[in-house]
Amino acid sequence: MNLRNYTCGKWNEAAGAGDILRDPVTGEELARVSSANVSWSESLAFARTHGASALRKLSYRERADLLAKMADCLAANRDEYFRISLLNSGATQADASFDVDGAIYTVKYYAKIGRGLGEGHLLKEGASIPLSKNNSFAAQHFLEPAKGAAILINAFNFPAWGWCEKAAPALLSGVPVIIKPASPTAWLTQRMVEDVVNAGILPPGAISIVCGSAREMLDHVREEDVISFTGSAETAAKIRGHENVLRRGIRVNVEADSINSAILGPDVSPSSGLFDLFVNEVIREMTLKAGQKCTAIRRIFVPRSQMQALGAAIATQLGAIKVGNPRNPEVKVGPVVNRAQQSACLASIAKLKQECSVLFGGDDQFQPLDADRQKSSFVQPTLLACKDAAVAKAVHTVEVFGPVATLIPYDAVGDLIAAVRKGEGSLVASVFSDDAAFTQETILGIGDLHGRIMAVDSSVGTQFTGHGNVLPSCLHGGPGRAGGGEELAGLRALLLYHRRFVVQGPPATIAEIAALSSDAGLLYS
Ligand code: NAP
């Protein structure tokens, strides 16, 4: 099966041999992708002209209604998305739900809050600023939807949520989307887009999908376009540094990799409920989606005195978890996405082993349940312990994109903060402690290098949303190595797809434009 591309308002058969998508459990070929016969210049031009102009004729409220229809359409086909997730990503039910249900929830969320923006066609930001003594000249800031296309380049690990969390705010803004899923798992994204297209919800040109390589696409982007990228820091650097992207000053939002931290406070004893919550959260982060989450816990900071107790508690739980073919209902951890990712994980584990001891797992000859080790792509859940935190480097720099985490001991809060900061910018850190002063000092010590910090104490108990759980109402992204991007955060996500300008002129001119606008205040509420 060759996955068809949808550009210029029509489906095109993929040309050439293409890249192969496989079942990561059996190794069987499932589909192929190719962008060989896609004209990027025509595809982008069609989206900018037909798609953008049709979307911009609608108000924010009308576009929010389109999102609601999209969410209904996706929800109606949910079972099929679970089937594809199992086949192409080796996803357990929980893994598939995290991606697919997260996607549908996010589109619904934007449909709901987008209606609040009402009938405007652009956004008025802040109050009018008087610029003359007699009030004949003033200024007003506006946000206007970009008149280009949003190019959404996604990573392999969230084939459903990845495009939906970007497309919902882009479409609500009135900007057409061109979706470029990662090749290894493009099938699910392609199928979801196919369902939306076939349902006839969006105007022609508002949504396109290209499966397969997008290397030449960057030659054709223009200043009115927006690139929203999720993937590795290495690819992000290529996109940012592309000659056409630099020359035209194209807006690029980057969500890249991240060495996230979970911190156990010095006050938390192994006999406490908070300790158990911490252990459960580490286990969840290591095992859900086989650790293939950009937000997953990679570094576990623990008071030196609790190193042994925590290591034993996590290792015991890991030992009870079945890893193998997700068609077996007992299995809780499936494979990583393909053999290339498996090799990358094993190579990264080998690097970490140079400065860590193995507390659990780490066997590169690991035999999964109900799967052929030679054909599948499993990585054994692995817990490492840093031997000498003072000199360790790899634990802070090597992202193992799989079910692997490392314990790192700390003595004082100052050392802890310095060590966490060695991640050079992360998406998320979580702090589990009942010591309010410790939590506050830690948050303030690392906040500037994190997009999100989750604090849990005994009063929260089990009521927290999860270290790795990205909510549409809250900021997703992180500085430095994490890419410096900002996504979600409710309606603030629309800022990426709008351009700010200030009109300086007579109050009557400003009032005429303001009459077409909705109040941007809601974005910041
Ligand atoms: P990747 O290899 O960097 O690929 C990401 C996307 O970029 C794919 O769609 C890929 O297409 C495309 N691409 C590659 N080279 C390109 C180029 N020169 N021009 C335009 N597009 C290009 O990343 P991945 O292996 O799919 O994903 C794993 C990484 O993503 C991990 O490091 C993880 O931390 C990160 N991630 C971050 C977040 C976040 O929100 N911060 C979320 C999920 C994942 P092809 O597949 O066709 O090559």
Side-chain angles (χ1 to χ4, degrees):
M1 171 177 66
N2 279 5
L3 298 183
R4 291 184 306 164
N5 296 313
Y6 185 75
T7 58
C8 302
K10 54 182 191 292
W11 290 102
N12 315 296
E13 293 303 326
D19 293 328
I20 301 173
L21 281 65
R22 293 189 186 279
D23 180 328
V25 177
T26 64
E28 276 168 35
E29 178 174 332
L30 299 168
R32 287 179 184 236
V33 290
S34 167
S35 60
N37 62 355
V38 170
S39 162
W40 286 105
S41 59
E42 284 172 25
S43 306
L44 282 159
F46 189 87
R48 287 186 204 113
T49 49
H50 294 75
S53 57
L55 285 171
R56 279 206 312 276
K57 281 190 188 122
L58 306 174
S59 66
Y60 292 100
R61 202 261 311 145
E62 288 168 321
R63 293 193 294 261
D65 288 345
L66 296 184
L67 291 185
K69 286 183 189 155
M70 253 176 78
D72 288 345
C73 166
L74 297 174
N77 293 290
R78 179 176 175 272
D79 289 351
E80 176 63 3
Y81 306 153
F82 274 58
R83 188 184 75 86
I84 296 172
S85 300
L86 171 63
L87 283 171
N88 192 193
S89 296
T92 63
Q93 284 278 313
D95 298 342
S97 172
F98 200 77
D99 187 25
V100 172
D101 292 329
I104 296 168
Y105 175 74
T106 303
V107 179
K108 273 191 184 152
Y109 171 86
Y110 276 99
K112 191 170 164 209
I113 64 167
R115 287 182 176 129
L117 288 174
E119 304 304 328
H121 291 261
L122 70 165
L123 298 167
K124 181 167 79 74
E125 194 185 41
S128 166
I129 305 161
L131 294 179
S132 66
K133 284 191 180 141
N134 66 359
N135 260 350
S136 64
F137 193 67
Q140 175 68 57
H141 287 84
F142 291 97
L143 295 162
E144 192 181 24
K147 293 195 173 77
I151 296 134
L152 313 182
I153 305 174
N154 278 311
F156 70 81
N157 58 329
F158 281 106
W161 178 82
W163 75 271
C164 285
E165 61 106 15
K166 294 182 193 303
L171 291 168
L172 182 59
S173 299
V175 180
V177 295
I178 298 192
I179 298 155
K180 156 64 188 107
S183 294
T185 56
W187 184 12
L188 176 56
T189 314
Q190 197 266 0
R191 179 55 201 263
M192 294 172 86
V193 172
E194 188 173 32
D195 290 336
V196 171
V197 169
N198 289 347
I201 298 165
L202 297 170
I207 191 164
S208 308
I209 182 163
V210 178
C211 306
S213 165
R215 307 296 184 270
E216 288 153 42
M217 183 258 294
L218 297 174
D219 296 335
H220 302 283
V221 290
R222 295 174 52 88
E223 47 284 353
E224 58 266 58
D225 299 328
V226 178
I227 298 174
S228 183
F229 170 82
T230 296
S232 63
E234 198 184 335
T235 310
K238 276 189 208 153
I239 292 175
R240 275 202 176 111
H242 189 275
E243 189 271 332
N244 185 43
V245 172
L246 285 175
R247 188 168 55 80
R248 290 181 182 268
I250 289 157
R251 190 179 284 179
V252 182
N253 191 76
V254 170
E255 299 292 342
D257 52 39
S258 170
I259 317 282
N260 310 295
S261 307
I263 300 162
L264 186 71
D267 57 299
V268 184
S269 83
S271 57
S272 66
L274 205 51
F275 187 88
D276 294 341
L277 286 178
F278 186 81
V279 171
N280 291 344
E281 194 60 4
V282 169
I283 295 289
R284 203 170 90 97
E285 286 297 305
M286 289 179 73
T287 54
L288 190 66
K289 290 176 74 45
Q292 298 168 106
K293 288 191 351 281
C294 51
T295 48
I297 296 169
R298 308 291 177 203
R299 296 179 293 168
I300 307 163
F301 288 94
V302 51
R304 195 176 295 279
S305 60
Q306 308 295 9
M307 186 81 172
Q308 220 176 358
L310 185 66
I314 298 171
T316 304
Q317 284 209 30
L318 287 177
I321 291 172
K322 298 261 191 318
V323 181
N325 188 336
R327 291 157 185 91
N328 180 330
E330 288 186 7
V331 161
K332 293 279 180 282
V333 182
V336 296
V337 73
N338 56 26
R339 290 183 77 84
Q341 280 299 317
Q342 181 193 40
S343 301
C345 284
L346 296 179
S348 298
I349 292 172
K351 274 189 204 152
L352 292 183
K353 277 183 181 172
Q354 289 173 9
E355 54 187 50
C356 296
S357 53
V358 180
L359 299 187
F360 184 87
D363 179 3
D364 53 13
Q365 303 299 309
F366 170 71
Q367 176 56 54
L369 193 65
D370 294 348
D372 182 342
R373 188 169 66 76
Q374 306 293 341
K375 293 182 178 159
S376 57
S377 55
F378 286 86
V379 174
Q380 185 184 26
T382 298
L383 181 67
L384 303 168
C386 181
K387 285 183 205 156
D388 186 350
V391 295
K393 282 204 175 92
V395 291
H396 304 294
T397 54
V398 176
E399 182 196 43
V400 187
F401 207 59
V404 180
T406 304
L407 288 174
I408 305 171
Y410 70 87
D411 296 303
V413 66
D415 306 334
L416 166 71
I417 289 168
V420 174
R421 293 181 71 86
K422 288 183 186 169
E424 296 179 345
S426 303
L427 294 170
V428 52
S430 51
V431 189
F432 284 62
S433 173
D434 277 323
D435 180 341
F438 167 81
T439 301
Q440 190 199 67
E441 189 174 348
T442 305
I443 291 175
L444 296 180
I446 65 174
D448 63 317
L449 283 185
H450 286 77
R452 178 164 64 89
I453 301 179
M454 183 182 82
V456 179
D457 67 9
S458 299
S459 74
V460 174
T462 56
Q463 294 302 302
F464 60 95
T465 48
H467 170 101
N469 202 2
V470 174
L471 305 171
S473 53
C474 295
L475 176 68
H476 175 57
R481 175 183 180 141
E486 294 198 349
E487 287 186 331
L488 301 172
L491 288 173
R492 261 163 286 183
L494 273 60
L495 289 170
L496 180 61
Y497 304 102
H498 283 69
R499 300 289 159 88
R500 177 178 284 113
F501 63 88
V502 60
V503 176
Q504 297 172 331
T509 303
I510 290 172
E512 275 164 26
I513 300 172
L516 303 172
S517 310
S518 296
D519 195 334
L522 203 59
L523 261 53
Y524 308 100
S525 63

